[in-house]
C-alpha cells in the first residue's frame, strides 16, 4: 500500500519513481559488498539483519511521512534487501549440495518464492481492513511486526560453517582461486582433491547473470505500480488490495512448477514464456476494468515468476567456488540497474498507467528474441552439455 501512501502524501508520479530509483540505487551500491560479507562471515546473519533494517524504514515512513523520510526508508530497505539478496540463494544451494540434493534447488527455490508470494498475498488480504480500521499507521505496525518475524525465520535456517563452507573464517577455500565459475571442462569425474589443488582462472557466467537481470528487472519494477494501475481502472482505495490478491496469486502459483519445468524450459521454450507473459501483461494493463486487469496481470506474473526461478537456477548451476553469494549479489546488482532503468522510463512516461505498463512490457521482446536465437542454436548443434546461458 506504500504507493498509495506516497500518492496521498501529495507526491507526483515522477517523485514516486525517484523514490523507487533511490531504493534500487541503494541496492546497486550495497549488493556486492553485502554478498562478500555473507561469503566471508555468515549468510544466516545477513538474512537476520536485513529485515531489521527494513522494519526501521517502514517505521520511519509511517511516523514521519515526508519525501525525505520516504527516501531514507528506502535506503534502509535497500540495504536490508541487499543483505538477503545472494545470501539466501547461496545458503540454500550450498546446504542442498552438502546434503547431496543440489538437483532439487529449482524445486526448493520455486516453493520458497511461492511461500514468499503467499506472504504478500496474505498481507494484501488484510491490508484493506487494516487501512479502514487504523489507516496507514496500523499498516506500518503490521509491517514492522512482519519484518521481526522474518528475522526470526532467518535465525532458524541451518548453516554449517565448521569445515563445510568454503571460504569461511579459518577454513580453506575449495580452490586456490576464490570465485571460480563455470562448468568443469573435464566433467564430473574430477576428484575433490584434484579440484582443491588445481588453480583455474575465474570465469564469470556473464550470460546467466544478464539473463537474471533481464527476466526479473522489468516486472520487479512494474509490480510497485500495480496499486496505481488498479486504482486507475476504477477501484476504490479499500478495494485495491483485493484486486492485487489476484495478481499476486498468479505470482505465487508461478513458482510451484519450477522443478519439473526446469527441463521443459531449459531450451528455447523460455523465450516464448517471456514473450507470452509480456503480451498478457500489456493486454491486462489496457483492459480497463479492475477484474480484467487483475486476472490478466496475475497470469503474466505467474509466467514471470517461473522464468525468474529458472533463470536463477541457470545461474546457480554455472557457479563454482566459495564466492556464490558474491556472484549472485552482482547479478542482483545488474537486476537493480534494470529496475532503475524501468523506474526512470515509468517516471518519464507517466500517466495513464495502463499505457505505460503496456509500453514497458514490450522490453521483454529483447531477451525473448535472444533466448530463441541462442538456445535454439545450441539445441541445433546438439551440445552434450545441454542449453545454458
Amino acid at each position: 500500500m506504500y504507493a498509495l501512501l506516497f500518492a496521498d502524501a501529495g507526491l507526483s508520479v515522477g517523485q514516486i519513481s525517484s523514490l523507487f530509483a533511490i531504493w534500487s540505487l541503494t541496492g546497486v551500491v550495497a549488493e556486492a559488498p553485502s554478498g562478500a560479507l555473507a561469503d566471508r562471515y555468515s549468510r544466516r546473519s545477513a538474512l537476520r539483519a536485513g529485515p531489521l533494517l527494513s522494519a526501521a524504514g517502514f517505521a520511519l515512513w509511517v511516523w514521519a511521512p515526508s519525501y525525505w523520510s520516504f527516501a531514507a526508508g528506502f535506503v534502509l530497505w535497500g540495504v536490508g534487501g541487499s543483505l538477503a539478496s545472494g545470501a539466501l540463494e547461496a545458503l540454500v544451494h550450498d546446504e542442498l549440495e552438502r546434503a547431496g540434493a543440489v538437483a532439487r534447488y529449482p524445486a526448493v527455490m520455486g516453493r520458497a518464492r511461492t511461500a514468499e508470494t503467499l506472504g504478500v498475498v496474505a498481507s494484501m488480504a488484510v491490508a484493506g481492513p487494516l487501512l479502514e480500521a487504523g489507516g496507514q499507521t496500523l499498516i506500518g505496525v503490521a509491517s514492522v511486526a512482519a519484518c521481526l518475524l522474518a528475522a526470526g525465520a532467518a535465525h532458524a535456517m541451518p548453516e554449517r560453517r565448521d569445515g563445510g563452507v568454503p571460504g569461511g573464517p579459518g577454513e580453506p577455500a575449495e580452490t586456490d582461486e576464490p570465485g571460480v565459475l563455470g562448468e568443469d571442462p573435464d566433467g564430473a569425474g574430477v576428484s575433490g582433491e584434484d579440484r582443491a589443488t588445481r588453480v583455474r582462472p575465474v570465469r564469470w557466467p556473464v550470460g546467466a547473470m544478464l539473463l537474471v537481470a533481464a527476466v526479473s528487472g522489468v516486472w520487479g519494477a512494474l509490480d510497485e505500480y500495480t496499486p496505481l494501475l488498479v486504482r486507475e481502472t476504477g477501484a476504490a482505495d479499500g478495494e485495491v488490495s483485493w484486486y492485487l490478491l489476484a495478481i499476486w496469486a498468479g505470482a505465487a502459483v508461478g513458482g510451484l512448477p519450477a522443478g519439473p519445468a526446469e527441463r521443459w524450459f531449459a531450451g528455447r521454450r523460455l523465450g516464448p514464456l517471456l514473450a507470452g507473459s509480456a503480451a498478457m501483461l500489456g493486454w491486462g494493463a489496457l483492459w480497463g476494468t479492475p477484474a480484467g486487469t487483475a486476472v490478466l496481470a496475475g497470469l503474466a506474473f505467474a509466467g514471470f515468476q517461473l522464468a525468474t526461478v529458472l533463470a536463477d537456477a541457470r545461474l546457480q548451476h554455472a557457479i563454482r567456488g566459495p564466492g556464490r553469494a558474491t556472484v549472485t549479489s552482482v547479478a542482483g546488482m545488474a537486476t537493480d540497474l534494470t529496475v532503475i532503468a524501468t523506474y526512470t522510463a515509468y517516471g518519464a512516461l507517466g500517466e495513464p498507467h495502463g499505457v505505460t505498463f503496456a509500453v514497458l512490457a514490450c522490453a521483454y521482446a529483447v531477451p525473448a528474441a535472444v533466448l530463441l536465437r541462442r538456445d535454439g542454436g545450441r539445441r541445433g548443434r546438439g551440445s552434450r552439455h545441454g542449453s545454458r546461458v
Side-chain angles (χ1 to χ4, degrees), residues 104-134:
R104 295 181 55 209
Y105 178 84
V108 171
M109 287 306 297
R111 290 197 295 268
R113 297 307 181 196
T114 295
E116 177 184 23
T117 307
L118 287 175
V120 176
V121 170
S123 71
M124 290 175 179
V126 301
L130 286 177
L131 185 65
E132 294 180 358

Side-chain angles (χ1 to χ4, degrees), residues 68-174:
W68 293 109
S69 68
F70 296 152
F74 268 127
V75 170
L76 290 169
W77 193 1
V79 175
S82 296
L83 287 170
S85 173
L88 175 63
E89 293 85 354
L91 179 59
V92 171
H93 187 281
D94 284 352
E95 292 299 320
L96 286 174
E97 186 174 40
R98 192 168 296 115
V102 71
R104 295 181 55 209
Y105 178 84
V108 171
M109 287 306 297
R111 290 197 295 268
R113 297 307 181 196
T114 295
E116 177 184 23
T117 307
L118 287 175
V120 176
V121 170
S123 71
M124 290 175 179
V126 301
L130 286 177
L131 185 65
E132 294 180 358
Q136 292 285 358
T137 299
L138 186 55
I139 289 180
V141 171
S143 299
V144 170
C147 289
L148 297 179
L149 290 174
H155 181 73
M157 294 183 70
E159 181 182 33
R160 198 178 78 186
R161 306 293 295 181
D162 53 338
V165 176
E171 299 297 334
E174 186 175 327

Side-chain angles (χ1 to χ4, degrees), residues 141-367:
V141 171
S143 299
V144 170
C147 289
L148 297 179
L149 290 174
H155 181 73
M157 294 183 70
E159 181 182 33
R160 198 178 78 186
R161 306 293 295 181
D162 53 338
V165 176
E171 299 297 334
E174 186 175 327
T175 66
D176 293 338
E177 186 81 21
V180 175
L181 307 176
E183 293 190 8
D184 190 336
D186 298 327
V190 181
S191 69
E193 182 177 354
D194 289 339
R195 284 196 301 269
T197 57
R198 178 184 301 168
V199 177
R200 294 182 293 169
V202 175
R203 280 202 302 126
W204 287 71
V206 176
M209 296 167 70
L210 292 177
L211 178 62
V212 169
V215 169
S216 59
V218 177
W219 83 280
L222 290 178
D223 71 22
E224 305 299 337
Y225 298 94
T226 51
L228 300 175
L229 174 66
V230 171
R231 185 160 70 173
E232 183 182 73
T233 63
D237 284 0
E239 300 172 341
V240 167
S241 63
W242 296 108
Y243 290 110
L244 294 180
L245 279 174
I247 297 176
W248 284 98
V253 172
L256 286 177
E262 184 185 21
R263 181 177 297 275
W264 178 258
F265 287 108
R268 63 194 307 169
R269 297 182 184 91
L270 188 56
L273 174 64
L274 281 178
S277 300
M280 194 73 68
L281 180 61
W283 184 19
L286 297 174
W287 189 267
T289 66
T293 294
V295 170
L296 291 173
L299 292 173
F301 275 30
F304 289 138
Q305 182 76 284
L306 177 59
T308 297
V309 175
L310 295 178
D312 171 60
R314 286 192 180 199
L315 174 61
Q316 297 303 324
H317 291 335
I319 299 174
R320 296 292 184 273
R324 185 172 300 277
T326 303
V327 176
T328 308
S329 290
V330 172
M333 182 172 66
T335 301
D336 286 334
L337 289 172
T338 306
V339 169
I340 290 173
T342 306
Y343 289 154
T344 302
Y346 203 109
L349 292 170
E351 301 181 58
H353 296 285
V355 173
T356 300
F357 262 74
V359 169
L360 293 178
C362 294
Y364 279 106
V366 175

Side-chain angles (χ1 to χ4, degrees), residues 15-75:
Q15 288 176 311
I16 294 173
S17 294
S18 72
L19 289 174
F20 293 158
I22 289 171
W23 183 19
S24 294
L25 185 60
T26 301
V28 169
V29 174
E31 279 282 6
S34 64
L37 286 172
D39 280 330
R40 180 66 180 87
Y41 296 104
S42 169
R43 293 160 181 170
R44 186 172 61 184
S45 296
L47 293 174
R48 282 196 304 254
L52 299 179
L53 291 176
S54 300
F58 296 156
L60 186 62
W61 285 357
V62 173
W63 286 292
S66 70
Y67 178 86
W68 293 109
S69 68
F70 296 152
F74 268 127
V75 170

